[in-house]
Amino acid sequence: MTDNIELFVNPGLAPDEVADIRAELRDWGWEPAVRRMPPRRGAAEFTWLLLLTVPAEIIVKTMLEQAGRQAFETLRGFVQRRLGHQEETQVVVIEEAGSGAQFALSADLPLEAYRQMVEALSAGATDDGLRTFDRGRGRWVGET
């Protein structure tokens, strides 16, 4: 089932950085196909570092296999390690393979954002398009 996972990486990432990302995803039981691609799917104000395309059921299964809050902390830690000291506009995007729903994950997102993302994916109520987390409203919003 993990053969449906694709990882698109910024062309500027060094081979050892890509290897580290793949190793971490393997720890989750995922074996993504890796491709180097320039950003191409909307959100011009963002510089995409990673685009991870995963079927919703795989994301949800992975999160449920870990204990509650730890699952969201693990995913947030992954994003923070990847973005680290990068410019503020860089994001890791998780795209649901079936619907095309995309979630732009920045290094400073609260755990609630991760919980809501997984909840939306598990409910299957996701439409095509990019979402960002609106901190003022405390929820994901689609681009207009």
Side-chain angles (χ1 to χ4, degrees):
M1 187 174 229
T2 63
D3 58 342
N4 295 331
I5 298 174
E6 296 178 299
L7 174 64
F8 298 92
V9 299
N10 183 301
L13 285 179
D16 60 327
E17 291 175 295
V18 176
D20 287 346
I21 293 166
R22 289 190 77 184
E24 190 163 354
L25 295 176
R26 279 190 197 111
D27 288 345
W28 298 356
W30 299 0
E31 185 61 50
V34 177
R35 294 179 178 81
R36 288 188 178 273
M37 294 184 67
R40 62 177 177 85
R41 297 185 184 187
E45 71 274 10
F46 290 126
T47 303
W48 293 9
L49 184 68
L50 302 174
L51 171 61
L52 185 60
T53 302
V54 184
E57 64 272 11
I58 292 176
I59 295 172
V60 173
K61 179 180 180 277
T62 300
M63 294 296 115
L64 293 177
E65 286 175 350
Q66 298 187 30
R69 185 177 176 97
Q70 179 188 350
F72 305 119
E73 288 173 348
T74 299
L75 184 54
R76 182 171 67 173
F78 171 80
V79 171
Q80 289 173 337
R81 282 187 297 282
R82 297 306 143 214
L83 297 178
H85 304 289
Q86 305 294 330
E87 62 186 75
E88 285 183 19
T89 59
Q90 285 197 330
V91 294
V92 171
V93 175
I94 295 204
E95 177 180 85
E96 200 288 303
S99 70
Q102 298 174 333
F103 295 84
L105 306 176
S106 60
D108 63 346
L109 278 182
L111 286 176
E112 175 63 13
Y114 291 89
R115 186 195 63 73
Q116 287 181 25
M117 178 188 70
V118 172
E119 186 177 278
L121 292 171
S122 66
T126 54
D127 298 321
D128 186 18
L130 182 72
R131 289 156 186 74
T132 57
F133 192 75
D134 183 328
R135 287 167 177 79
R137 293 165 40 189
R139 65 182 180 93
W140 288 97
V141 294
E143 282 197 340
T144 55

